[in-house]
Amino acid sequence: MIYIKLLLTAIFWGGTFIAGKFISETVHPVSAAFLRFAIAASCLSFLVFYREGRLPPLQRRQILPVILLGATGVFSYNILFFSGLKYIAAGRASLIIATNPIFISLLSAVVFKERLNWIRGVGIFLSVAGAMIVISNGQVAEITGYRIGLGEWLIFGCVLSWVLYSLIGKAAMAKLSALAAVTYSAMVGAIMLMVPAFYFGLVDDIGGYTALDWSSLAYLGCFGIGGVCFTNASNMIRQSLVKWRR
């Protein structure tokens, strides 16, 4: 089941780059991010009430981690995501985002003292090599002189935001279920995005959104966020199995 969930994560997340590209030219990045997570928060709230009966109340020490989850994994990630897709192709962005596991593994080893075995080392090497090939357009030997554009830097910002989200999530999910943690982070992120979305003309622009815009936003909100749920749930199951085996 863990591998099935991870496969679904890849499928759902792969679609987010296509949907994001569709709306990047017509919907302001902040408005797109706000609407995405307003939809996501509604879907997740329904799901958490269905699965757990209620949304568990936050303890005082959980408030700051949850706010940081919303600020990193929702607010900054999505503004950078939609902004970056205005400048580079969806496929190129998705391959840069694929370097997430590299930095998560390295920083987890530093911060949480997680062991890096040779299999992870090989995976990191292959990820780095693949990213270098993509970013340099196949001219790896000339990468030191290759100019990385604004779009690439924005997507690299997504990577940094997601790494921070993943590391903070390990602390936030110590007392919260994966579903509850993601629901709270979606709510917090949507609230953070609401004010700048209205500032950048959401009320004036929303009437001009096409059916493709709304269907893309619905996919990003309802299915794109499913990748987060599956990833977090799989991580928690894996950690439980490791503890059980010990």
Side-chain angles (χ1 to χ4, degrees), residues 4-167:
I4 291 173
K5 289 177 180 179
L6 291 174
L7 175 61
L8 289 172
T9 298
I11 293 172
F12 285 141
W13 271 12
T16 64
F17 293 94
I18 306 302
K21 190 63 178 178
F22 281 145
I23 62 176
S24 64
E25 300 297 331
T26 56
V27 182
H28 192 279
V30 179
S31 298
F34 166 68
L35 292 172
R36 174 187 184 178
F37 277 90
I39 295 170
S42 301
C43 294
L44 287 167
S45 296
F46 172 80
L47 186 58
V48 76
F49 275 95
Y50 175 77
R51 293 287 300 274
E52 302 182 12
R54 63 171 187 150
L55 187 61
L58 290 175
Q59 299 176 9
R60 181 175 298 179
R61 64 177 177 272
Q62 294 172 324
I63 295 175
L64 180 59
V66 165
I67 291 174
L68 292 175
L69 285 177
T72 55
V74 177
F75 183 79
S76 63
Y77 179 93
N78 282 273
I79 290 177
L80 294 168
F81 174 80
F82 288 111
S83 298
L85 286 176
K86 294 182 63 129
Y87 299 98
I88 63 174
R92 188 170 177 80
S94 66
L95 289 168
I96 295 174
I97 293 289
T99 62
N100 272 330
I102 301 171
F103 299 102
I104 292 173
S105 296
L106 292 175
L107 287 177
S108 293
V110 173
V111 177
F112 296 106
K113 309 301 180 185
E114 292 186 1
R115 184 179 177 184
L116 281 176
N117 55 34
W118 70 270
I119 296 178
R120 289 187 179 182
V122 171
I124 290 173
F125 172 78
L126 293 175
S127 297
V128 171
M132 290 175 65
I133 292 171
V134 172
I135 294 168
S136 66
N137 288 324
Q139 305 298 322
V140 179
E142 301 176 7
I143 196 167
T144 54
Y146 182 77
R147 183 180 179 274
I148 299 177
L150 177 59
E152 284 85 357
W153 283 117
L154 290 169
I155 299 300
F156 274 124
C158 289
V159 173
L160 176 60
S161 296
W162 194 253
V163 170
L164 293 174
Y165 174 85
S166 299
L167 296 178

